[in-house]
């Protein structure tokens, strides 16, 4: 979990590959369920209804993760998932949560040309990132079992750091 642009999907996909787990991006599941891109859904139906759908998906995905049936599961969540207490509870109780911690400045550098993230389509995206950080950072820390500072490490280095945190480093050597 983490703010928009923090690397959740990219790092999650690589972590799943490294540990031979299934990868699910909750935003992709949401877009399939709502039948349109999240940005369009936000514009047409608002954030509150989107968060209702998100909560249902997080409940379902964390139930799958907690069930232990089948292969291990790596879930990348949307950045606002922590805004709902039920989501924080389900994530904390049913999964091992990694917070990919990024500063607003790092995120702005990565996202300054992004047109797909609905919350950043504003006059001053840097101010919006700072506001999101102030609002969500304490909730991410409350929910997470482990925090990883993203900074400038490569995706492979971040995956290796996560594996060390999870005690999985000995299971899979890094890919060349």
């Amino acid at each position: 979990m983490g703010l928009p642009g923090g690397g959740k999907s990219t790092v999650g996909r690589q972590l799943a590959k490294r540990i031979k787990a299934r990868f699910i991006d909750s935003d992709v599941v949401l877009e399939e369920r709502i039948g349109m891109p999240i940005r369009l859904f936000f514009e047409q139906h608002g954030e509150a209804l989107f968060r209702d759908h998100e909560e249902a998906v997080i409940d379902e995905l964390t139930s799958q993760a907690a069930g232990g049936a089948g292969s291990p599961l790596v879930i990348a969540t949307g950045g606002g998932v922590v805004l709902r207490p039920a989501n924080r509870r389900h994530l904390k109780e049913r999964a091992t949560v990694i917070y990919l911690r990024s500063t607003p400045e790092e995120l702005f550098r990565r996202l300054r040309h992004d047109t797909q993230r609905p919350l950043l389509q504003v006059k001053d995206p840097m101010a919006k990132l700072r506001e999101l950080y102030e609002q969500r950072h304490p909730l991410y820390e409350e929910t997470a079992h482990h925090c990883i500072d993203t900074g400038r490490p490569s995706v492979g280095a971040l995956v290796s750091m996560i594996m060390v945190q999870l005690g999985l480093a000995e299971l899979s050597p890094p890919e060349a």
Side-chain angles (χ1 to χ4, degrees), residues 56-90:
V57 167
I58 293 301
D59 182 32
E60 180 182 317
L61 293 177
T62 58
S63 291
Q64 286 178 29
S71 66
L73 185 60
V74 173
I75 303 168
T77 64
V81 72
V82 294
L83 298 175
R84 293 272 176 104
N87 290 341
R88 294 193 306 271
R89 186 177 65 254
H90 291 147

Side-chain angles (χ1 to χ4, degrees), residues 3 82-83 99 102-105 107 126-141:
L3 286 168
V82 294
L83 298 175
Y99 169 24
S102 304
T103 67
E105 294 75 19
L107 296 171
M126 183 65 208
K128 184 64 175 181
L129 285 167
R130 286 185 176 124
E131 176 189 325
L132 291 173
Y133 183 85
E134 290 299 317
Q135 176 190 36
R136 297 177 182 180
H137 173 71
L139 300 174
Y140 294 141
E141 287 200 325

Side-chain angles (χ1 to χ4, degrees), residues 1 10 24 26 43 57 69 76 88 146 163:
M1 81 168 53
T10 303
I24 297 178
S26 68
E43 291 170 5
V57 167
R88 294 193 306 271
H146 305 281
M163 291 182 66

Side-chain angles (χ1 to χ4, degrees), residues 39-158:
R39 180 177 179 185
L40 185 58
F41 191 89
F42 257 71
E43 291 170 5
Q44 293 181 2
H45 304 285
E47 185 175 357
L49 186 57
F50 170 77
R51 297 291 173 206
D52 290 343
H53 288 283
E54 180 180 57
E55 185 175 324
V57 167
I58 293 301
D59 182 32
E60 180 182 317
L61 293 177
T62 58
S63 291
Q64 286 178 29
S71 66
L73 185 60
V74 173
I75 303 168
T77 64
V81 72
V82 294
L83 298 175
R84 293 272 176 104
N87 290 341
R88 294 193 306 271
R89 186 177 65 254
H90 291 147
L91 288 163
K92 184 87 172 179
E93 293 174 359
R94 298 175 181 170
T96 300
V97 180
I98 307 294
Y99 169 24
L100 296 179
R101 186 170 39 210
S102 304
T103 67
E105 294 75 19
E106 290 167 9
L107 296 171
F108 182 73
R109 182 178 43 80
R110 293 181 205 156
L111 298 174
R112 63 185 175 271
H113 302 296
D114 190 303
T115 60
Q116 298 306 306
R117 297 170 200 269
L119 290 176
L120 298 180
Q121 305 314 305
V122 295
K123 186 175 180 178
D124 187 352
M126 183 65 208
K128 184 64 175 181
L129 285 167
R130 286 185 176 124
E131 176 189 325
L132 291 173
Y133 183 85
E134 290 299 317
Q135 176 190 36
R136 297 177 182 180
H137 173 71
L139 300 174
Y140 294 141
E141 287 200 325
E142 168 192 319
T143 307
H145 298 94
H146 305 281
C147 295
I148 302 287
D149 288 309
T150 60
R152 291 190 179 260
S154 68
V155 170
L158 289 170

